[in-house]
Amino acid sequence: MVLAITTLAAWPVPGTDADAAEASTPAVELRVGVPHLPPWAFHDADCHLTGIAVENLRRLAERAGRRFVAVPLPLDAGADARTAGDVALFLGDATLSADLEEALPLPFGHTIDRIAVYQGPWASAATAPTSSLRVGVRTQRLAETMGFADSRVVAGEVNGALADALAAGRLDVLVGGREVIYLAMMRRGWRAATLRSRTRRLGSFELHYHLTRQGDADHGDALRRALEGFDWPRRDQQLRQRFLSPDVARAPMRGSECETLAVGPLPQRPD
């Protein structure tokens, strides 16, 4: 509570000289590594960057007094790619990243269910997967971790070619994060009810944001202060519901053909 009071006291009161001085000072950039991973991060039909992670980070950057700048970066990008992009903040799964000792984890992120969506009906009491299954998954390693080591594995982009293959009946199972698979299959005409009836939960993992040590030392403190009074879990759930809606699934999404957009502070609004 003391931290919250201190943070609020440090914010300028609208209409004061301090507020005017801050408005005339350019906001410090917060360069964020953003993968093309709908519904977490993508460009809409107008090349406006959006998504669950993007909207959460945009709001948090605003509260921290930072200007959110997106840098295209694969989800599994290593230290060299992050350094080349001068990225200060990036998404990372600690169990898959080999060089996270060069980064500082921040106390916020997303819990993501890993699921398997089966092409046809399946029994909830079914035994472990067998070699008769054609399984689409991001990597062979992940397939083995999820219990599909004996299956015929096809590795690739879960929200791209593999989703096309499942929709066309060329795969028996698609394995990946729940939000990514649900949106990918809804975009290909599957109904949410169908997905739920053919889904098996395989576990979950934590996707966190990490701050590079080479970045602005003040970023971490500013982001932690911004989290005071910011109901991250509630907002995260609201954004998941919004971006997994049929309207979003039907809307055009664009990737690398869009230029990366820098998004400045948004108008203040209630959390």
Side-chain angles (χ1 to χ4, degrees):
M1 180 61 70
V2 174
L3 284 176
I5 293 174
T6 302
T7 301
L8 290 171
W11 287 351
V13 177
T16 64
D17 291 339
D19 188 43
E22 180 177 315
S24 64
T25 303
V28 176
E29 284 189 355
L30 180 65
R31 293 177 64 82
V32 182
V34 178
H36 175 69
L37 188 67
W40 298 98
F42 61 94
H43 289 86
D44 63 19
D46 298 321
C47 280
H48 176 74
L49 184 65
T50 189
I52 300 170
V54 169
E55 296 303 331
N56 252 335
L57 285 174
R58 179 183 292 166
R59 179 66 168 141
L60 192 63
E62 174 202 346
R63 289 174 61 91
R66 265 44 180 180
R67 184 166 63 91
F68 177 82
V69 179
V71 179
L73 199 68
L75 190 60
D76 55 356
D80 290 344
R82 297 197 299 267
T83 301
D86 194 22
V87 167
L89 188 68
F90 64 96
L91 287 158
D93 176 358
T95 64
L96 299 177
S97 301
D99 57 351
L100 285 183
E101 64 273 9
E102 296 300 325
L104 302 172
L106 291 173
F108 61 98
H110 308 276
T111 300
I112 300 175
D113 279 342
R114 281 218 170 100
I115 64 170
V117 174
Y118 290 74
Q119 178 64 239
W122 56 280
S124 59
T127 58
T130 67
S131 58
S132 64
L133 291 176
R134 298 165 298 174
V135 178
V137 66
R138 189 163 173 265
T139 65
Q140 176 74 38
R141 177 183 174 184
L142 182 56
E144 295 170 358
T145 302
M146 296 290 98
F148 292 94
D150 296 330
S151 303
R152 288 177 286 168
V153 174
V154 181
E157 289 296 325
V158 173
N159 61 340
L162 294 183
D164 290 338
L166 183 68
R170 297 193 299 272
L171 289 176
D172 299 306
V173 186
L174 184 61
V175 177
R178 184 180 72 89
E179 289 83 359
V180 173
I181 289 182
Y182 268 48
L183 184 64
M185 297 313 300
M186 287 170 67
R187 291 181 65 78
R188 287 158 176 81
W190 283 40
R191 298 172 63 88
T194 301
L195 285 161
R196 287 192 294 269
S197 69
R198 299 184 183 183
T199 297
R200 175 182 295 174
R201 184 178 182 275
L202 301 176
S204 63
F205 71 103
E206 298 295 323
L207 186 66
H208 284 277
Y209 298 95
H210 301 267
L211 191 69
T212 58
R213 293 182 187 275
Q214 296 84 359
D216 180 1
D218 293 333
H219 280 326
D221 290 339
L223 290 168
R224 290 184 180 93
R225 287 196 301 269
L227 282 168
E228 295 291 333
F230 184 60
D231 192 346
W232 178 276
R234 180 175 65 88
R235 181 171 170 80
D236 191 52
Q237 184 61 36
Q238 290 174 340
L239 288 169
R240 289 179 193 236
Q241 293 173 353
R242 168 185 164 189
F243 283 100
L244 285 173
S245 69
D247 287 344
V248 171
R250 287 191 292 264
M253 293 183 183
R254 307 177 71 176
S256 57
E257 68 270 25
C258 288
E259 293 183 1
T260 302
L261 303 181
V263 181
L266 299 179
Q268 193 76 2
R269 58 185 182 278
D271 289 329

